[in-house]
C-alpha cells in the first residue's frame, strides 16, 4: 500500500518536473523578494569599483571605439574584454537620460550623487535577471522542493549580495551566463553551450580558467567528426571575432591584451585571497622571522606582496619566488585529473562538478586572485549539492568559509550587522533546507541505487564543526580582542589571520572536490 | 499568539511573520524614527494577557503603555468596555471593578510619583494636550481633513470649540463598539473593539498625526487569520496614507521595497495550500475595495513622484491621497462594526469563568 502511494507520488513529481514552466512562479516570487532586499541595500557603502564602472560608462559613452583601451583619463582603465565594454555602452544611454553628469568624462570623475548611485545599483539589479534566468533554466527539471532550495541559495547568496549589491560589481549576470551555458550542455545542446561560454569569456576573461574543461568535454562529447569540429570552431571564432575584431582592425590588440592581463601586479592582492599563496606567504614570513631571531641575515621587504597597481619587487624572503608561469602551471597541473576524467568519460552529469573544480583550482593556485573569485565556484556548486548529500556537506562548509572570507570587503561599521545577519540567516536556512531535503522520508530520487548512494542525512563531521566554531572565535578576536591587546600596532594581523584561517578551509575544500572528481 | 493557539503551526507562523514585519511600523520606527514599538509592545502584552485570562496583568501593562505614549488612549474604550463587561458578569461586580481600579490607579501613581512629588504634574499635562496646534496638520486621512475640503473648520470655529466637537464626535463613534462589548464580551469582539475604537479616534479626534494609523493597524493585524480582507485593506490604507510623510523624509525607496516585500509575504506561492482557507474567507466587497485602492493608490503615488502639481493647488496629490484613504477607512470601519455586532457572544467563555470563581 505504502509502496504504491510512494510510487504514485514519485510519478506525480516526475510529471510535474516535465512541465516547461515548472517552478516559474516560485522563481518570480523569490526574484522579487531578492530585488526588494537589494533595493534596501542601495544606500550602503560602495567601493572604488563603483567609480570604476561609472568611469567605464563615461568612457564608452564619450569616446570612439578606438580610444576605449587607450584612454588614461582615470587610473581605472578598461580591463575587461570588449563585450563588457559594449554592455557599459548600452547602459550609458540610460545613464545619460537619468543624469548626464554620470557619463561626462571629466566632470563625472568621482561622481557619486544619488542619481549615479541609484542608476548603477539599479543596473546591477536589472542585470541579475540573467542570473535568475540561468538558474531557472538549469533547475527547471528538478522537483519543486529542490528548485526552491537552489533559488534560496543563489538568489539570496550573501556573497552575491555583499559583492554585487554593496561593494559593487556585476558578477550576478556573468554567473547567470555561465549557468545558462552549463544548462545547455546538461541538456545535450553542446553547440549552444559552447557558444554561450565563448560569449561569457568575452565579457570577463577570468572565466577562461574552465576553458580546458569545456574544450576537452566538447572535443570528446560533441566533435565526433571533422564537420562538427569545424562547426564548433567556426562558431567560437565568430564570437571572438565579433568581440575583438574591431580592435584587430585598429591594430590595438597588443594594447588590449596588455590591459586584460596586467601581470605587473603582485602574486597577491592587498588582502591575501585565502588560497594556497596566502599559506605560502604566511610560511615565508614565519620562516623569515624565525631565521632572523636565530641570527641569520635575512633581507625582508616591507609589505611587498601587496600593491593593487604596481609591485614587482622581491616578494618572498626565504621560499622560492613565484612567477606567473609557475602559477599557471600549477593551475593546469591541479586541473589535470579532472581533464583526464572528462577525456575518458565525457558524461553530461559530470560536467558541473568538473567546471566547479576547475574554478576552485584557478582560485587556489591563480595569480593575483581576488577573494571575490570564490563566488565562481561556490554559486554553481549548490546546483550539484541539492541532490547529493555528500556534495551538500562540502558545499555548506565551503560556502560559510568563503562568505566569511568576503567580510573584510565591507569594513565600515554600518554594514557590520547587515553582513552578519545575511550570513547567519543564510546558513540557518540552507541547513534546514538541506536537512529537510535529505531526511529519509522525503527522498525524491526514484532509482533504488541512487537512493542508496545519495541517502544519509545532513550532518557535519566534528572537524568541520570545530572549524566553523573557530571562525566565530576568529571574528571575536578580530573585532574585539586585537584592539584591546595590540591597540594600533600590527594593523595587518587581523586580516592576515582571516586570510590564513580561511585558506586552510578552502584548501580542504579543494582536496575534497578533487576526491569527488577522482571518484567520477 | 494566545488568541491563535488553536491554529495550525504554519498559519500561526505566517501570521507572526506578517505582524512583526509590518512595513508601516518598520518605516515609522526605524526610518522616520520613533519609539512606537515600546507602547505598542506593552499594549500587545496587555491584549495577550486578556486572551490568557489574566486581567490584572493586562490592566497594568496597558497603563504602562498609556504612560509611555498617550496615543495608546485610542485603545482605552475597548479595554474599559471588555473589562467592565466581564466584571459585571462575575459574582461581585463592584468588588471586581474596585480590584481593577486599584491596579490601574496603582500603576499610574507609580509612574507619576516623581512629578506629583515635585508638583509639576500640571505642566506635564499641558504638554500632553497641545491644543494650539489645531484640529489637523498637513493632510491626514481623517474626517476633519477630508471634510475641510467642503467645510473650512479652522476658519469657522476657534480651537477650543473644535476640540469639544472632536471629543463629541469621537465619543459618538466609539460608543456602539463599547456598548457591544459591555453587553457581550468576548475575545474576538475585544480585538474588533480595539480596532473600532482606535479607528474612530483616528477618524474623529483632535490633532491626529499620520503616524497614528499604526494604532488601528495593530489590532487589524492580530485579526489576520480571522479576517484577512480587513487586514489587507488596512495595510494598504496605512501605507498609502503615510507616503507623503515618507517622501518628505527621503524614504521613498525603502517605502517601495518594504511595501512590495509585505505584499509578497501576503502571497507566498509555497504556502498557498496551508493558507487557502484563510484567503477563501475574504469578504468579496472588501477585497474589491482593496484591489481598487491598490491600483488607485499606486497611480497617485506615481503621479506624486513624477509630476509637479499645478500652482493653484500645490497640495493636490496629498489631498487626493488622504481623501482616497479616508473613504476606504470609512468603508472598513463600517465593515468591522458590522462584524463586531454580528459576532456570536461567547457567554460560554464568561460562564466558564463564573464556574471557576465559584
Amino acid at each position: 500500500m505504502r509502496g504504491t502511494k510512494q510510487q504514485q507520488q514519485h510519478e506525480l513529481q516526475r510529471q510535474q518536473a516535465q512541465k516547461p514552466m515548472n517552478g516559474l512562479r516560485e522563481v518570480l516570487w523569490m526574484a522579487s523578494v531578492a530585488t526588494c532586499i537589494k533595493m534596501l541595500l542601495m544606500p550602503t557603502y560602495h567601493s572604488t569599483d563603483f567609480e570604476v564602472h561609472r568611469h567605464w560608462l563615461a568612457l564608452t559613452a564619450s569616446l570612439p571605439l578606438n580610444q576605449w583601451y587607450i584612454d588614461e583619463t582615470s587610473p581605472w582603465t578598461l580591463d575587461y574584454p570588449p563585450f563588457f565594454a559594449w554592455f557599459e555602452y548600452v547602459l550609458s544611454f540610460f545613464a545619460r537620460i537619468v543624469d548626464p553628469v554620470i557619463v561626462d568624462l571629466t566632470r563625472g570623475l568621482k561622481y557619486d550623487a544619488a542619481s549615479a548611485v541609484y542608476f548603477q545599483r539599479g543596473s546591477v539589479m536589472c542585470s541579475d535577471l540573467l542570473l535568475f534566468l540561468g538558474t531557472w533554466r538549469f533547475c527547471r527539471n528538478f522537483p519543486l522542493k529542490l528548485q526552491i532550495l537552489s533559488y534560496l541559495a543563489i538568489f539570496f547568496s550573501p556573497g552575491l549580495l555583499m559583492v554585487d549589491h554593496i561593494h559593487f560589481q556585476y558578477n550576478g549576470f556573468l554567473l547567470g551566463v555561465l549557468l545558462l551555458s552549463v544548462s545547455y550542455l546538461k541538456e545535450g545542446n553542446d553547440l549552444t553551450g559552447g557558444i554561450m561560454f565563448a560569449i561569457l569569456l568575452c565579457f570577463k576573461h577570468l572565466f577562461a580558467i574552465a576553458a580546458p574543461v569545456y574544450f576537452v568535454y566538447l572535443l570528446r562529447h560533441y566533435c565526433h567528426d571533422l564537420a562538427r569540429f569545424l562547426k564548433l570552431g567556426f562558431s567560437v571564432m565568430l564570437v571572438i571575432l565579433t568581440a575583438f575584431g574591431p580592435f584587430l582592425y585598429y591594430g590595438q590588440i597588443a594594447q588590449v591584451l596588455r590591459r586584460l592581463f596586467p601581470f605587473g601586479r603582485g602574486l597577491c592582492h592587498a588582502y591575501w585571497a585565502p588560497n594556497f599563496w596566502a599559506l605560502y606567504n604566511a610560511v615565508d614570513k614565519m620562516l623569515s622571522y624565525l631565521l632572523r631571531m636565530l641570527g641569520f641575515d635575512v633581507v625582508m621587504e616591507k609589505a611587498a606582496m601587496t600593491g593593487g597597481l604596481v609591485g614587482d619587487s622581491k616578494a618572498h624572503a626565504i621560499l622560492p619566488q613565484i612567477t606567473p608561469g609557475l602559477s599557471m602551471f600549477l593551475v593546469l597541473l591541479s586541473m589535470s585529473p579532472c581533464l583526464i576524467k572528462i577525456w575518458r568519460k565525457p558524461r553530461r552529469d559530470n560536467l558541473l562538478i568538473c567546471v566547479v573544480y576547475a574554478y576552485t583550482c584557478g582560485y587556489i593556485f591563480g595569480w593575483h586572485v581576488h577573494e571575490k573569485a570564490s563566488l565562481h565556484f561556490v554559486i554553481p556548486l549548490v546546483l550539484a549539492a541539492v541532490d547529493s548529500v555528500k556534495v551538500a556537506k562540502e558545499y555548506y562548509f565551503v560556502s560559510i568559509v568563503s562568505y566569511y572570507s568576503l567580510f573584510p570587503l565591507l569594513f565600515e561599521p554600518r554594514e557590520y550587522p547587515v553582513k552578519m545577519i545575511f550570513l547567519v540567516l543564510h546558513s540557518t536556512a540552507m541547513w534546514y533546507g538541506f536537512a529537510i531535503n535529505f531526511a529519509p522520508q522525503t527522498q525524491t530520487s526514484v532509482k533504488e541505487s541512487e537512493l542508496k548512494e545519495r541517502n544519509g542525512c545532513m550532518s557535519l563531521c566534528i572537524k568541520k564543526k570545530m572549524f566553523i566554531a573557530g571562525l566565530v572565535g576568529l571574528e571575536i578576536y578580530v573585532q574585539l580582542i586585537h584592539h584591546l591587546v595590540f591597540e594600533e600596532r600590527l594593523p595587518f594581523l587581523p586580516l592576515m589571520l582571516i586570510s590564513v584561517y580561511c585558506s586552510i578551509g578552502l584548501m580542504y575544500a579543494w582536496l575534497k572536490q578533487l576526491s569527488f572528481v577522482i571518484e567520477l | 499568539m494566545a488568541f491563535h493557539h488553536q491554529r495550525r503551526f504554519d498559519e500561526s507562523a505566517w501570521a507572526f511573520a506578517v505582524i512583526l514585519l509590518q512595513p508601516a511600523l518598520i518605516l515609522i520606527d526605524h526610518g522616520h524614527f520613533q519609539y512606537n514599538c515600546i507602547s505598542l509592545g506593552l499594549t500587545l502584552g496587555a491584549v495577550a494577557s486578556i486572551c490568557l485570562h489574566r486581567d490584572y496583568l493586562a490592566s497594568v501593562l496597558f497603563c504602562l503603555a498609556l504612560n509611555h505614549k498617550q496615543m495608546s488612549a485610542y485603545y482605552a474604550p475597548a479595554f474599559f468596555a471588555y473589562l467592565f463587561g466581564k466584571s459585571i458578569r462575575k459574582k461581585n461586580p463592584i468588588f471586581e471593578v474596585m480590584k481593577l481600579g486599584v491596579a490601574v490607579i496603582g500603576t499610574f501613581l507609580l509612574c507619576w510619583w516623581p512629578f506629583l512629588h515635585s508638583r509639576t504634574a500640571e505642566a506635564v499635562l499641558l504638554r500632553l494636550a497641545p491644543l494650539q496646534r489645531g484640529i489637523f496638520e498637513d493632510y491626514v486621512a481623517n474626517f476633519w481633513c477630508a471634510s475641510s475640503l467642503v467645510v473650512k473648520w479652522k476658519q469657522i470655529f476657534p480651537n477650543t470649540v473644535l476640540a469639544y466637537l472632536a471629543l463629541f464626535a469621537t465619543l459618538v463613534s466609539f460608543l456602539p463598539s463599547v456598548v457591544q462589548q459591555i453587553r457581550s464580551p468576548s475575545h474576538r469582539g475585544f480585538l474588533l473593539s480595539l480596532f473600532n475604537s482606535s479607528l474612530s479616534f483616528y477618524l474623529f479626534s483632535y490633532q491626529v498625526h499620520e503616524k497614528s494609523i499604526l494604532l488601528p493597524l495593530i489590532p487589524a493585524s492580530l485579526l489576520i487569520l480571522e479576517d484577512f480582507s480587513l487586514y489587507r485593506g488596512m495595510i494598504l490604507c496605512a501605507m498609502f496614507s503615510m507616503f507623503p510623510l515618507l517622501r518628505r523624509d527621503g524614504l521613498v525607496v525603502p517605502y517601495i521595497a518594504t511595501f512590495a516585500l509585505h505584499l509578497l509575504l501576503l502571497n507566498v506561492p509555497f504556502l498557498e495550500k496551508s493558507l487557502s482557507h484563510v484567503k477563501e474567507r475574504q469578504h468579496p466587497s472588501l477585497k474589491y475595495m482593496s484591489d481598487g485602492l491598490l491600483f488607485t493608490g499606486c497611480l497617485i503615488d506615481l503621479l506624486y513622484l513624477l509630476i509637479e502639481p499645478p500652482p493653484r493647488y500645490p497640495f493636490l496629490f496629498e489631498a487626493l491621497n488622504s481623501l482616497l484613504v479616508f473613504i476606504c477607512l470609512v468603508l472598513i470601519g463600517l465593515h468591522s462594526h458590522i462584524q463586531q455586532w454580528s459576532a456570536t457572544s461567547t457567554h460560554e467563555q464568561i460562564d466558564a469563568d463564573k464556574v471557576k470563581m465559584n
Side-chain angles (χ1 to χ4, degrees):
Chain A
M1 226 14 217
R2 200 170 160 210
T4 46
K5 206 176 171 192
Q6 262 187 345
Q7 274 172 7
Q8 278 172 355
Q9 206 184 24
H10 288 154
E11 190 52 44
L12 199 67
Q13 274 173 349
R14 221 183 358 176
Q15 278 173 357
Q16 199 190 26
Q18 305 296 355
K19 285 193 224 147
M21 290 290 142
N22 184 32
L24 193 60
R25 258 182 57 193
E26 280 75 6
V27 170
L28 288 173
W29 188 86
M30 295 189 100
S32 313
V33 174
T35 311
C36 288
I37 295 179
K38 292 167 192 171
M39 275 168 80
L40 289 170
L41 289 175
M42 272 179 158
T44 50
Y45 156 81
H46 51 80
S47 67
T48 48
D49 275 336
F50 179 84
E51 169 60 19
V52 169
H53 288 280
R54 186 219 58 78
H55 175 65
W56 293 355
L57 282 174
L59 187 69
T60 51
S62 320
L63 294 176
L65 193 70
N66 56 3
Q67 294 286 324
W68 286 1
Y69 282 95
I70 296 184
D71 180 78
E72 305 254 334
T73 316
S74 163
W76 310 118
T77 50
L78 189 58
D79 56 2
Y80 275 20
F83 276 175
F84 200 90
W86 284 109
F87 169 69
E88 297 276 13
Y89 179 64
V90 167
L91 279 181
S92 69
F93 280 117
F94 300 101
R96 206 191 294 265
I97 299 172
V98 168
D99 182 354
V101 181
I102 300 177
V103 295
D104 195 301
L105 200 57
T106 42
R107 275 199 308 155
L109 283 173
K110 302 218 178 120
Y111 186 62
D112 64 351
S115 57
V117 172
Y118 283 132
F119 175 75
Q120 294 244 71
R121 293 236 191 256
S123 66
V124 184
M125 289 182 347
C126 291
S127 66
D128 273 357
L129 282 170
L130 262 174
L131 176 67
F132 302 147
L133 180 67
T135 318
W136 172 69
R137 197 167 194 291
F138 191 94
C139 297
R140 62 184 174 173
N141 290 324
F142 289 179
L144 197 63
K145 282 209 170 123
L146 295 185
Q147 278 193 35
I148 292 173
L149 197 56
S150 316
Y151 301 144
L152 189 70
I154 294 185
F155 295 0
F156 300 98
S157 152
L160 274 179
L161 286 172
M162 283 196 287
V163 174
D164 269 17
H165 298 95
I166 301 184
H167 178 85
F168 199 82
Q169 256 201 345
Y170 284 95
N171 291 305
F173 89 92
L174 295 169
L175 286 167
V177 179
L178 177 68
L179 289 177
L180 271 177
S181 157
V182 179
S183 75
Y184 277 112
L185 289 178
K186 195 174 83 136
E187 288 167 5
N189 199 340
D190 291 348
L191 188 61
T192 324
I195 294 176
M196 295 235 76
F197 187 70
I199 295 176
L200 177 65
L201 292 190
C202 294
F203 269 104
K204 193 169 180 179
H205 50 298
L206 192 56
F207 284 92
I209 294 173
V213 173
Y214 266 81
F215 183 72
V216 172
Y217 176 80
L218 288 171
L219 198 65
R220 290 284 289 165
H221 191 259
Y222 180 70
C223 302
H224 300 308
D225 50 33
L226 191 62
R228 280 193 165 185
F229 179 77
L230 284 177
K231 202 157 83 168
L232 184 63
F234 182 69
S235 320
V236 170
M237 287 301 348
L238 195 64
V239 170
I240 297 183
L241 264 170
T242 320
F244 291 92
F247 302 97
L248 206 64
Y249 172 75
Y250 287 120
Q252 292 179 353
I253 283 293
Q255 170 69 357
V256 172
L257 287 175
R258 251 199 304 271
R259 285 281 181 84
L260 255 50
F261 299 100
F263 280 115
R265 300 183 188 174
L267 174 63
C268 289
H269 194 47
Y271 159 62
W272 306 341
N275 62 5
F276 177 75
W277 304 124
L279 287 176
Y280 193 81
N281 291 342
V283 168
D284 181 68
K285 266 205 182 323
M286 275 193 329
L287 279 180
S288 51
Y289 273 121
L290 206 66
L291 290 180
R292 252 250 179 114
M293 280 200 318
L294 289 175
F296 287 96
D297 187 25
V298 173
V299 177
M300 269 184 8
E301 298 276 349
K302 273 203 164 150
M305 282 155 287
T306 64
L309 292 177
V310 277
D312 231 343
S313 42
K314 191 155 173 285
H316 296 110
I318 310 291
L319 298 174
Q321 301 303 319
I322 306 293
T323 58
L326 181 62
S327 156
M328 180 135 64
F329 173 70
L330 280 172
V331 172
L332 286 171
L333 186 66
S334 54
M335 277 205 316
S336 49
C338 167
L339 294 174
I340 296 171
K341 277 283 165 176
I342 297 233
W343 179 267
R344 290 227 193 108
K345 287 195 247 176
R347 281 172 49 198
R348 288 189 277 178
D349 303 330
N350 299 340
L351 188 67
L352 185 65
I353 289 273
C354 292
V355 168
V356 169
Y357 177 70
Y359 284 124
T360 315
C361 293
Y363 183 86
I364 295 287
F365 292 109
W367 182 268
H368 202 84
V369 168
H370 276 245
E371 58 279 0
K372 302 175 221 146
S374 61
L375 287 172
H376 293 177
F377 61 85
V378 172
I379 301 288
L381 185 59
V382 73
L383 297 174
V386 287
D387 57 359
S388 160
V389 73
K390 243 182 4 175
V391 181
K393 291 180 194 178
E394 298 314 314
Y395 163 75
Y396 189 73
F397 178 71
V398 80
S399 67
I400 292 186
V401 176
S402 67
Y403 291 150
Y404 179 76
S405 73
L406 292 172
F407 273 14
L409 281 176
L410 308 177
F411 50 82
E412 288 191 2
R414 221 174 25 157
E415 279 77 29
Y416 189 80
V418 175
K419 64 187 187 192
M420 204 45 91
I421 288 174
F422 275 155
L423 184 58
V424 171
L425 270 181
H426 190 256
S427 324
T428 319
M430 290 312 293
W431 179 263
Y432 277 114
F434 282 130
I436 294 172
N437 193 34
F438 292 118
Q441 57 266 26
T442 61
Q443 266 298 339
T444 52
S445 177
V446 180
K447 297 194 198 120
E448 272 301 320
S449 53
E450 278 178 33
L451 205 78
K452 281 217 174 77
E453 181 187 86
R454 292 164 181 181
N455 210 349
C457 45
M458 181 70 182
S459 64
L460 286 181
C461 64
I462 190 75
K463 289 189 299 237
K464 290 202 186 87
K465 280 186 190 157
M466 282 178 56
F467 193 86
I468 293 181
L471 274 180
V472 176
L474 181 63
E475 181 65 12
I476 295 175
Y477 173 79
V478 164
Q479 295 297 328
L480 295 170
I481 301 180
H482 177 82
H483 188 75
L484 287 173
V485 172
F486 290 107
E487 284 181 26
E488 299 305 322
R489 291 178 292 146
L490 301 179
F492 58 86
L493 189 62
L495 283 184
M496 207 168 93
L497 281 174
I498 295 179
S499 177
V500 169
Y501 193 80
C502 292
S503 55
I504 298 174
L506 291 179
M507 291 286 296
Y508 165 82
W510 166 64
L511 288 169
K512 216 39 202 228
Q513 283 190 40
L514 181 59
S515 73
F516 289 156
V517 164
I518 292 178
E519 282 169 16
L520 278 178
Chain B
M1 283 299 103
F3 183 61
H4 293 306
H5 66 271
Q6 282 155 355
R7 300 284 178 152
R8 283 175 26 219
F9 177 70
D10 36 2
E11 283 181 357
S12 312
W14 175 74
F16 195 60
V18 169
I19 295 172
L20 284 183
L21 291 174
Q22 288 194 55
L25 188 56
I26 293 178
L27 285 171
I28 292 284
D29 270 15
H30 301 273
H32 181 79
F33 203 82
Q34 270 200 339
Y35 282 97
N36 292 308
C37 43
I38 299 182
S39 57
L40 288 173
L42 285 168
T43 315
L44 277 175
V47 173
S49 313
I50 291 213
C51 293
L52 289 170
H53 302 283
R54 291 203 153 75
D55 295 340
Y56 303 110
L57 182 61
S59 320
V60 169
L61 285 174
F62 183 63
C63 291
L64 287 176
L66 264 177
N67 283 308
H68 179 262
K69 260 200 150 174
Q70 72 274 28
M71 248 176 27
S72 316
Y74 284 30
Y75 294 130
F79 274 94
F80 169 74
Y82 176 80
L83 289 170
F84 189 63
K86 226 174 130 186
S87 306
I88 56 180
R89 276 172 176 69
K90 294 206 180 139
K91 256 178 73 179
N92 272 325
I94 302 193
F95 186 51
E96 297 296 324
V97 173
M98 270 175 61
K99 279 202 283 189
L100 283 173
V102 164
V104 169
I105 294 177
T107 322
F108 265 87
L109 269 178
L110 206 62
C111 293
W112 283 74
W113 181 249
F115 299 100
L116 291 171
H117 199 63
S118 63
R119 296 178 203 285
T120 49
E122 205 185 311
V124 178
L125 280 172
L126 270 177
R127 283 278 181 88
L128 290 179
L131 284 181
Q132 69 279 11
R133 284 168 76 178
I135 191 160
F136 63 84
E137 230 175 81
D138 294 323
Y139 280 87
V140 63
N142 79 353
F143 173 75
W144 304 114
C145 180
S147 57
S148 70
L149 293 174
V150 182
V151 180
K152 301 288 172 202
W153 301 103
K154 287 190 189 172
Q155 288 160 5
I156 301 177
F157 298 109
N159 275 348
T160 37
V161 172
L162 283 175
Y164 280 118
L165 202 58
L167 182 65
F168 179 68
T170 316
L171 264 165
V172 164
S173 59
F174 72 62
L175 212 54
S177 151
V178 164
V179 165
Q180 194 273 341
Q181 271 298 288
I182 296 181
R183 280 181 61 186
S184 58
S186 67
H187 288 169
R188 185 157 180 269
F190 172 62
L191 287 176
L192 278 167
S193 168
L194 277 174
F195 176 72
N196 283 323
S197 75
S198 50
L199 187 63
S200 63
F201 265 91
Y202 180 81
L203 289 175
F204 295 104
S205 178
Y206 192 85
Q207 181 61 221
V208 170
H209 209 280
E210 292 112 323
K211 297 181 288 232
S212 315
I213 193 75
L214 278 177
L215 288 161
L217 188 57
I218 299 293
S221 64
L222 293 176
L223 284 165
I224 187 171
L225 292 178
E226 301 273 325
D227 192 349
F228 179 70
S229 43
L230 180 74
Y231 175 70
R232 187 157 173 259
M234 267 317 288
I235 190 70
L236 290 176
C237 286
M239 290 305 282
F240 285 125
S241 75
M242 285 190 331
F243 183 64
L245 175 71
L246 296 171
R247 185 170 181 251
R248 280 199 298 271
D249 283 340
L251 286 171
V252 175
V253 173
Y255 167 81
I256 299 172
T258 46
F259 199 0
L261 268 174
H262 200 69
L263 289 176
L264 285 167
L265 182 61
L266 293 178
N267 294 299
V268 184
F270 22 92
L271 285 179
E272 249 182 31
K273 259 195 306 186
S274 329
L275 299 171
S276 53
H277 64 274
V278 171
K279 300 281 177 80
E280 270 161 27
R281 277 190 302 176
Q282 289 186 67
H283 294 261
S285 46
L286 268 191
K287 185 171 181 301
Y288 293 136
M289 185 208 82
S290 307
D291 292 340
L293 174 62
L294 183 60
F295 177 73
T296 329
C298 285
L299 195 64
I300 294 182
D301 283 354
L302 258 170
L303 290 174
Y304 193 177
L305 277 176
L306 296 173
I307 303 181
E308 286 294 321
R312 227 181 116 199
Y313 302 114
F315 294 108
L316 177 68
F317 294 123
E318 282 97 327
L320 274 175
N321 200 18
S322 62
L323 189 63
L324 176 71
V325 174
F326 171 70
I327 295 172
C328 294
L329 282 176
V330 167
L331 289 172
I332 293 177
L334 282 171
H335 165 87
S336 64
H337 270 93
I338 297 172
Q339 285 281 28
Q340 193 182 350
W341 275 91
S342 67
T344 52
S345 70
T346 47
H347 277 301
E348 307 87 90
Q349 258 180 326
I350 311 300
D351 284 356
D353 256 53
K354 245 192 190 162
V355 172
K356 249 198 292 182
M357 294 302 284
N358 290 345

